[in-house]
C-alpha cells in the first residue's frame, strides 16, 4: 500500500525549528529502515509534516536482516540489540518471542507513524524542557494509487508545501524535503 500521511503539531503551533526538522528527518529515515517502509517523499514544516510511504507486506527476515534493521534504528548497542545477539550466541538464533515482538512492529503504517512521533516527542520534550502532547491527533492518511503519475502528483504536492507557505520560490531550496535532498545528491 502507498499512503500519504500528515501529522500536525498541537494547536497548529510552529514549534519545529531547523534542528527539530533535521532530527525528525533523521528519525524518519531510521524508523523507515527498521520497519521496512519505503519513504517516497517527505516535507518537514514548522507545524506539521507530510510523508508519502510505500508499505509492503511483511517478509520473513533472516537473523542477519533483523539485526541490520535493529542497528538502523538503535545503533550497535542497546537492549534490543543485546537481546538479539544474546539469543544468537546462546541458541544460534534470535529468541522466537523477541523475533515476534520485533516483526510485529514492521510493515504497518500505524506502528511506523506512532513510533516515529513518539520517539520525536520524547526527544523534543527533553530538548525543550517541556512535557505533554506534541501532536494534535493520531495522524491523517490517504491511500494513494501506486502508479507513477499519481505518485508524482502527490510527491509534488508534498514537496511544494514550503513554496505554498512562501518560504522558498523553489522546493530545491528548502532543505527539509525529499526533493531538495534528492537534488543535493541524497540517493535515499
Amino acid at each position: 500500500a502507498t499512503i500519504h500521511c500528515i501529522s500536525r503539531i498541537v494547536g497548529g503551533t510552529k514549534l519545529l525549528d531547523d534542528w527539530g526538522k533535521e532530527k525528525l528527518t533523521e528519525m524518519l529515515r531510521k524508523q523507515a529502515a527498521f520497519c521496512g517502509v519505503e519513504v517516497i517523499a517527505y516535507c518537514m514544516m514548522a507545524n506539521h509534516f507530510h510523508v508519502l510511504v510505500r508499505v509492503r507486506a511483511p517478509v520473513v527476515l533472516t537473523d542477519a536482516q533483523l539485526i541490520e534493521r535493529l542497528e538502523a534504528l538503535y545503533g550497535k548497542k542497546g537492549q534490543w540489540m543485546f537481546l538479539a545477539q544474546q539469543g544468537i550466541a546462546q541458541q544460534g538464533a534470535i529468541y522466537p518471542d523477541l523475533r515476534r515482538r520485533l516483526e510485529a512492529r514492521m510493515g504497518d503504517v500505524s506502528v511506523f507513524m506512532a513510533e516515529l512521533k513518539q520517539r520525536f516527542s520524547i526527544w523534543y520534550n527533553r530538548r525543550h524542557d517541556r512535557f505533554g502532547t506534541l501532536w494534535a491527533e493520531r495522524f491523517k492518511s490517504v491511500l494513494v494509487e501506486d502508479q507513477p503519475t499519481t505518485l508524482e502528483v502527490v510527491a509534488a504536492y508534498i514537496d511544494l508545501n514550503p513554496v505554498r507557505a512562501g518560504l522558498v520560490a523553489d522546493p530545491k531550496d528548502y532543505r527539509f524535503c525529499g526533493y531538495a535532498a534528492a537534488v543535493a545528491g541524497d540517493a535515499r
Side-chain angles (χ1 to χ4, degrees):
T2 305
I3 305 160
H4 175 199
C5 302
I6 306 147
S7 193
R8 300 188 183 284
I9 299 286
V10 69
T13 311
K14 294 182 177 183
L15 296 180
L16 298 183
D17 59 10
D18 288 357
W19 192 15
K21 293 173 200 170
E22 286 176 13
K23 188 67 172 180
L24 184 55
T25 301
E26 173 190 324
M27 288 181 172
L28 170 72
R29 292 184 188 286
K30 288 180 177 183
Q31 193 70 40
F34 173 76
C35 290
V37 170
E38 178 187 356
V39 176
I40 299 168
Y42 68 89
C43 186
M44 307 306 179
M45 301 294 287
N47 63 352
H48 70 286
F49 74 91
H50 293 260
V51 62
L52 178 61
V53 296
R54 183 176 288 124
V55 181
R56 302 197 189 279
V59 296
V60 177
L61 300 172
T62 65
D63 283 351
Q65 290 169 320
L66 194 49
I67 292 285
E68 187 177 301
R69 288 193 181 190
L70 277 171
E71 190 174 327
L73 184 58
Y74 298 108
K76 293 184 183 281
K77 299 184 180 185
Q79 176 186 2
W80 294 106
M81 190 65 95
F82 171 78
L83 291 172
Q85 291 172 334
Q86 181 183 42
I88 292 170
Q90 290 180 353
Q91 298 181 353
I94 293 175
Y95 298 124
D97 286 346
L98 178 61
R99 173 177 279 283
R100 277 191 292 278
R101 288 176 61 195
L102 293 170
E103 288 176 342
R105 296 169 51 201
M106 299 175 184
D108 183 325
V109 74
S110 293
V111 174
F112 167 75
M113 288 293 289
E115 287 190 12
L116 171 64
K117 290 170 55 174
Q118 179 183 35
R119 291 171 67 83
F120 182 78
S121 294
I122 291 167
W123 174 86
Y124 186 89
N125 283 347
R126 283 182 183 155
R127 177 176 179 247
H128 292 281
D129 196 28
R130 73 181 293 275
F131 60 90
T133 303
L134 181 63
W135 304 104
E137 64 261 335
R138 183 175 169 263
F139 70 94
K140 294 179 182 175
S141 62
V142 177
L143 191 60
V144 177
E145 181 182 22
D146 199 344
Q147 297 297 319
T149 305
T150 308
L151 295 178
E152 288 172 10
V153 169
V154 175
Y157 170 80
I158 291 170
D159 290 325
L160 288 169
N161 259 255
V163 174
R164 285 191 301 275
L167 301 175
V168 292
D170 189 316
K172 73 174 174 31
D173 299 324
Y174 187 75
R175 71 178 202 221
F176 309 108
C177 73
Y179 180 77
V183 168
D186 187 338
R188 297 172 289 178

